[in-house]
Amino acid sequence: MAGVQKSDPDLYDYWPYLDRPKIVWPGGAKVALWVAPNIEYYELDPPVNPSRKPWPRPVPDILTYGARDYGNRVGHWRLMEVLDHCGVRGSVSLNVALCGHHPEIIEACAKRGWEFYSHGIYNTRFCYNMDEAQERAIIEDAIETVKKHTGQMIAGWLAPALTHTERTMDLLAEYGIAYTCDLFCDDQPQPVNVKQGKFISIPYSLEMNDIIHYNVNLGAPRRYADIIKANFDQLYEEGESSGTVMCIPLHAYAVGHPHRIGPFAEALEYITGHDDVWVATGREIAEFYYENYYDKTAAAIAAQKVGG
Amino acid sequence: MALPPEHLEYAHRGYGMDQSWYEWSMLPARPAVKWPNGAKIALWVSTAIEFFPLNAPAEPFRAPGSISTPYPDLRHYTLRDYGNRVGIFRIMKVLEKFGITPSVAINSAVAERYPRLIEEVVKRNWEVIAGGVDMGHLHHGGLDEAIESAWIEECLATLRSATGQPVKGWLSPARSQSMRTMDLVAAQGVDYICDWVNDEMPYPITTQNGGLTAMPHSHEINDVTIVLQYKRSEEEFTQHVIDQFEVLYAEAGADNGRIMALTIHPWIIGQPHRIKALENALTHIMGKGGVWAATGTEILDAWRGQ
């Protein structure tokens, strides 16, 4: 498969945000809210993938390594308190090797009924240039590791450091994983076209992602709260006609700093203070969608497909 | 195409960290800390006296704030030198107003170039931290061990002789280290290291030449990060500092102590339109009660004494 690059990933059909089958979330909710803390381990000196360097500076890049480690030592515990306070169970995007490095974090999350899904082995191991056997090996590793440490079968997948191959989605579906977080093209779940079985995308937002806000857009803490609230207000309004999904992806090493946590807590309180919000996990949204909307939506998409 | 097999091998996959410098430790699991006079917050103000050479090498990378336009980059050279000529004296006045004695990370090149400035620092009893030779001498993985050791020796000998202080703290230029930096500074009488940004409290570091303590010299509550990287306004600078302080103060609660580290650079915060942003933040913090303003060594001694 090396060599020829496609113009379209061939993962989904065009499906306009118009006249879709109406989604109503449990309890008549308009918005399904899920909060996705990324719990990550970055290695100091990993093997270097030919397509991407692990660190901006030469190894040992202790500045960036330390900034990531801060999330586990300090930020996670502060962030978990905010989620507890708002009655939110996290859906953990997990570098599964962390189960071995920091089992205390896994235990604290498991005790709270949080969901664990895979974000690869380490955030410093990228999927670029893997062959199929290697990609299968990391999927099997993720499934086995999370099962061993938490008893959960992973339902979701966010590619490690957002690195993919053309075969990733087919393999995930084959292994019985329910949803991907890697497609950013919608505010509602959507079927993903895979070789066998059923597979869906659950909206995971890069726009609401604290790393994009802080490290890419260089945003301020109060502005982060403002955009979270604005994003929610709009999705809540539209959710009246058909239920929407709002995801807040987080990294304790970013949002968990003392000067950033307050405005985030205030935004989360604002959202969870609304009546018609279903505070859920990724797995719960996926299960509800498969049960109630997958077939209906897949049929509607097939019927409107150009030339289909 | 496949990746070499090492990409699916994980030599350090197991409990704790993937290096042996320090142990995995969760902040909330540690014993409570008590500061002198029952203070909730130890306020550690750190400033910096730096030399950004006109001929700083581009490799392996340039320090934040370094010269960056084609040689001779008078623009950045003089903007940084402004800090040593003007900005530092504005900082001195503000800190004196609040009775705060800071730590100051000094590039040894400045001690050789501007002894008059060092005299003013010593006169005020500021605690001198070794800041490396200058901002063009970066410690990094590709640096020869003998050269690195000689730079550390040059820095420490120059600063100890110029200030008469023991100089026990170390801050690498641009917080960049090689795999051996901590071994080398420990061998030369350094007691605490300011490069690490992974904690809010001190913790022990192991080196081949004895122990060091990592001190939480702030990278986030730092004018280089807030103003230069994030491009925040003066009001936002003050807000970030106050927000940080208030959360730490609340977390200290009735029976614990926290460190509020504030890092400032005279070439940034010492500009006329910015200095009040510092003063306003300190007015809030020092007006609160339960705040102990101290140097890095004083905080470290109090932490070790429990």
Side-chain angles (χ1 to χ4, degrees):
Chain A
M1 60 194 291
V4 184
Q5 297 187 349
K6 302 185 292 186
S7 67
D8 179 308
D10 292 337
L11 290 171
Y12 55 88
D13 299 300
Y14 179 66
W15 174 232
Y17 191 46
L18 290 170
D19 307 321
R20 294 179 174 181
K22 177 173 180 171
I23 293 174
V24 180
W25 298 121
K30 301 171 191 171
V31 174
L33 171 77
W34 68 301
V35 175
N38 285 265
I39 301 185
E40 299 175 330
Y41 197 103
Y42 291 74
E43 302 159 282
L44 184 72
D45 190 12
V48 180
N49 190 295
S51 297
R52 178 168 158 183
K53 287 193 331 182
W55 297 111
R57 290 179 174 182
V59 168
D61 184 349
I62 67 147
L63 177 59
T64 319
Y65 176 86
R68 302 297 175 263
D69 185 31
Y70 171 89
N72 296 326
R73 290 171 80 88
V74 181
H76 172 76
W77 309 96
R78 193 172 277 139
L79 177 59
M80 198 164 60
E81 269 186 30
V82 172
L83 267 56
D84 284 351
H85 170 74
C86 293
V88 174
R89 286 164 297 131
S91 303
V92 177
S93 164
L94 180 66
N95 289 154
V96 301
L98 188 132
C99 293
H101 288 286
H102 303 329
E104 298 89 345
I105 294 181
I106 303 299
E107 282 162 27
C109 298
K111 200 172 77 183
R112 288 165 168 76
W114 288 19
E115 174 190 343
F116 300 92
Y117 65 89
S118 173
H119 190 26
I121 312 301
Y122 285 104
N123 235 44
T124 35
R125 303 282 177 131
F126 310 133
C127 295
Y128 301 131
N129 310 302
M130 280 189 179
D131 67 12
E132 183 173 327
Q134 292 176 325
E135 208 166 353
R136 285 181 182 278
I138 65 160
I139 295 170
E140 289 168 14
D141 184 335
I143 291 172
E144 284 160 22
T145 303
V146 171
K147 191 166 281 173
K148 182 177 149 203
H149 285 86
T150 72
Q152 292 186 22
M153 165 62 197
I154 55 172
W157 189 274
L158 176 70
L162 310 190
T163 64
H164 319 97
T165 72
E166 288 183 345
R167 70 177 89 78
T168 304
M169 304 293 176
D170 288 329
L171 292 178
L172 296 174
E174 184 190 320
Y175 280 97
I177 290 167
Y179 67 94
T180 173
C181 304
D182 282 301
L183 306 180
F184 305 107
C185 47
D186 219 295
D187 288 320
Q188 293 181 316
Q190 60 173 334
V192 176
N193 298 333
V194 289
K195 280 186 182 153
Q196 49 177 296
K198 292 178 180 177
F199 197 55
I200 60 172
S201 159
I202 298 288
Y204 172 94
S205 175
L206 280 189
E207 295 281 343
M208 291 297 102
N209 190 312
D210 61 343
I211 286 304
I212 303 300
H213 178 75
Y214 286 115
N215 291 9
V216 179
N217 298 338
L218 306 179
R222 280 172 175 69
R223 179 155 161 72
Y224 188 46
D226 289 344
I227 65 172
I228 288 174
K229 288 193 268 188
N231 190 280
F232 170 76
D233 286 344
Q234 185 67 27
L235 292 172
Y236 195 72
E237 190 183 309
E238 293 175 12
E240 176 85 40
S241 31
S242 180
T244 50
V245 175
M246 176 169 182
C247 181
I248 311 179
L250 299 169
H251 301 72
Y253 70 79
V255 77
H257 281 278
H259 69 293
R260 289 175 176 160
I261 198 74
F264 170 71
E266 183 219 309
L268 194 60
E269 279 174 12
Y270 172 82
I271 293 172
T272 55
H274 284 68
D275 289 334
D276 296 328
V277 177
W278 179 35
V279 180
T281 63
R283 183 196 307 273
E284 288 163 355
I285 297 170
E287 283 173 355
F288 187 80
Y289 185 84
Y290 274 115
E291 198 159 311
N292 297 282
Y293 298 108
Y294 179 91
D295 292 336
K296 212 183 286 184
T297 307
I301 292 174
Q304 61 93 55
K305 196 171 173 179
V306 178
Chain B
M1 185 174 183
L3 289 172
E6 69 193 46
H7 287 261
L8 275 81
E9 290 161 7
Y10 313 103
H12 301 287
R13 189 171 174 178
Y15 188 78
M17 304 307 298
D18 62 330
Q19 34 76 18
S20 53
W21 288 317
Y22 60 85
E23 300 287 325
W24 154 237
S25 163
M26 298 162 285
L27 179 61
R30 297 179 212 160
V33 170
K34 296 223 179 298
W35 298 131
N37 302 316
K40 291 174 187 290
I41 294 290
L43 172 68
W44 182 25
V45 177
S46 292
T47 185
I49 293 180
E50 296 163 309
F51 179 60
F52 288 89
L54 192 60
N55 61 353
E59 297 299 329
F61 63 92
R62 285 193 160 126
S66 180
I67 53 120
S68 52
T69 66
Y71 182 88
D73 180 358
L74 281 183
R75 163 181 161 176
H76 292 103
Y77 178 90
T78 56
L79 269 169
R80 306 309 168 233
D81 212 26
Y82 177 92
N84 295 328
R85 293 166 67 96
V86 181
I88 190 71
F89 299 102
R90 290 203 180 102
I91 289 179
M92 284 177 178
K93 275 192 188 159
V94 171
L95 296 183
E96 278 161 19
K97 178 177 165 185
F98 295 101
I100 294 171
T101 304
S103 297
V104 55
I106 303 184
N107 291 151
S108 62
V110 183
E112 287 172 342
R113 295 165 54 85
Y114 310 147
R116 180 78 182 80
L117 174 53
I118 303 304
E119 265 176 48
E120 293 298 321
V121 166
V122 171
K123 198 165 83 184
R124 285 167 175 78
N125 286 318
W126 285 15
E127 184 206 2
V128 174
I129 292 172
V133 172
D134 66 35
M135 301 309 283
H137 283 68
L138 300 187
H139 301 246
H140 62 90
L143 188 60
D144 176 81
E145 180 172 354
I147 292 175
E148 185 173 15
S149 185
W151 286 0
I152 292 167
E153 192 175 351
E154 175 190 342
C155 170
L156 288 166
T158 304
L159 290 175
R160 284 168 178 158
S161 150
T163 66
Q165 294 188 16
V167 186
K168 295 191 288 188
W170 177 272
L171 175 67
S172 300
R175 297 178 188 265
S176 180
Q177 294 185 352
S178 75
M179 290 287 191
R180 304 180 207 95
T181 303
M182 295 201 285
D183 296 331
L184 296 175
V185 299
Q188 297 191 39
V190 166
D191 188 27
Y192 73 91
I193 187 101
C194 302
D195 294 338
W196 287 83
V197 300
N198 57 339
D199 216 305
E200 289 170 1
M201 293 297 285
Y203 65 88
I205 295 261
T206 303
T207 83
Q208 288 179 12
N209 300 308
L212 291 172
T213 302
M215 284 287 282
H217 186 270
S218 190
H219 181 63
E220 292 288 332
I221 301 303
N222 182 325
D223 54 1
V224 170
T225 302
I226 296 173
V227 178
L228 203 67
Q229 183 186 338
Y230 281 97
K231 310 192 188 309
R232 298 275 92 86
S233 70
E234 295 67 44
E235 291 73 20
E236 287 172 310
F237 175 88
T238 304
Q239 192 73 66
H240 283 15
V241 175
I242 292 174
D243 286 350
Q244 179 91 358
F245 170 76
E246 286 295 339
V247 167
L248 293 171
Y249 195 92
E251 287 182 356
D255 54 5
N256 204 344
R258 285 284 174 255
I259 295 173
M260 166 80 195
L262 169 62
T263 309
I264 48 176
H265 295 74
W267 48 275
I268 299 184
I269 208 72
Q271 289 284 345
H273 58 292
R274 290 204 190 98
I275 192 72
K276 284 285 190 299
L278 173 65
E279 189 170 343
N280 293 341
L282 291 175
T283 299
H284 178 96
I285 292 172
M286 299 307 285
K288 185 88 175 182
V291 175
W292 171 49
T295 65
T297 289
E298 288 166 343
I299 295 170
L300 181 53
D301 287 347
W303 180 78
R304 278 187 181 147
Q306 19 209 317

